Amino acid sequence: GIQRELNEEKFDCIILGDVYEHLKNGPAILSQLLAYLAPNGILLISVPNVCHFSARFRFLAGRFRYSDWGIFDRTHLRFFTFKTLLDELQEMNLNVVHSHFVGKFFMNHRSPLYFDMRLLCFKKKWYCRLQHLFARLCPSLFAFQMVQKCQRKEVVKL
């Protein structure tokens, strides 16, 4: 497995971009990966937010359907809120040194409105900025994606 491939290698940065939610035993695998993180190394991890307002509307309507992409991607084995992700990272002896939240208002990629809003976003920077502002102000509700920059707890920043 990992040990045979990496041997004694140490990395300054390990990135788990939209991977962690697909792992059956994420904490065990993350623990193995952290053995290869340099003492002052950074872990970047991003996961979708199951408490995004679009997911909440689905739950309120009594619907839970997997899809081909997004928060309810059928290959997701685990779901996270901002709080549950932070708790899990802390249990892994990691400090979150920076949080970044990606906002997204319209999720239904089959809706004509979604494509109109995406075109508006590409043409109007204010729309993208508005999405990200809402995500920063209230991440548990408006963040579609949560990105955490972490270091081991014993690392002290001067």
Side-chain angles (χ1 to χ4, degrees), residues 5-18:
E5 294 292 323
L6 299 178
N7 207 359
E8 297 295 317
E9 198 78 33
K10 295 290 181 186
F11 297 92
D12 293 328
C13 184
I14 295 175
I15 301 171
L16 295 176
D18 300 328

Side-chain angles (χ1 to χ4, degrees), residues 6-64:
L6 299 178
N7 207 359
E8 297 295 317
E9 198 78 33
K10 295 290 181 186
F11 297 92
D12 293 328
C13 184
I14 295 175
I15 301 171
L16 295 176
D18 300 328
V19 171
Y20 200 58
E21 65 274 15
H22 297 271
L23 302 176
K24 185 176 183 181
N25 194 352
I29 293 170
L30 180 55
S31 181
Q32 289 178 11
L33 288 173
L34 289 175
Y36 299 98
L37 189 63
N40 289 319
I42 298 291
L43 169 74
L44 290 175
I45 184 168
S46 70
V47 297
N49 175 21
V50 76
C51 278
H52 185 268
F53 75 89
S54 65
R56 292 178 190 220
F57 285 142
R58 280 184 172 190
F59 293 142
L60 284 172
R63 291 183 322 198
F64 180 94

Side-chain angles (χ1 to χ4, degrees), residues 30-118:
L30 180 55
S31 181
Q32 289 178 11
L33 288 173
L34 289 175
Y36 299 98
L37 189 63
N40 289 319
I42 298 291
L43 169 74
L44 290 175
I45 184 168
S46 70
V47 297
N49 175 21
V50 76
C51 278
H52 185 268
F53 75 89
S54 65
R56 292 178 190 220
F57 285 142
R58 280 184 172 190
F59 293 142
L60 284 172
R63 291 183 322 198
F64 180 94
R65 278 205 179 115
Y66 286 100
S67 60
D68 293 330
W69 70 281
I71 295 170
F72 297 109
D73 183 305
R74 65 184 82 258
T75 63
H76 289 178
L77 301 176
R78 306 173 73 225
F79 297 94
F80 295 94
T81 67
F82 181 53
K83 174 90 172 91
T84 59
L85 178 60
L86 291 182
D87 290 346
E88 193 158 309
L89 293 171
Q90 286 177 353
E91 288 172 13
M92 301 297 301
N93 202 32
L94 294 166
N95 277 333
V96 174
V97 295
H98 181 73
S99 296
H100 179 76
F101 304 102
V102 178
K104 205 178 250 189
F105 289 154
F106 296 95
M107 264 25 83
N108 184 353
H109 66 286
R110 292 188 178 109
S111 164
L113 182 59
Y114 174 77
F115 289 107
D116 291 346
M117 297 312 283
R118 278 188 58 200

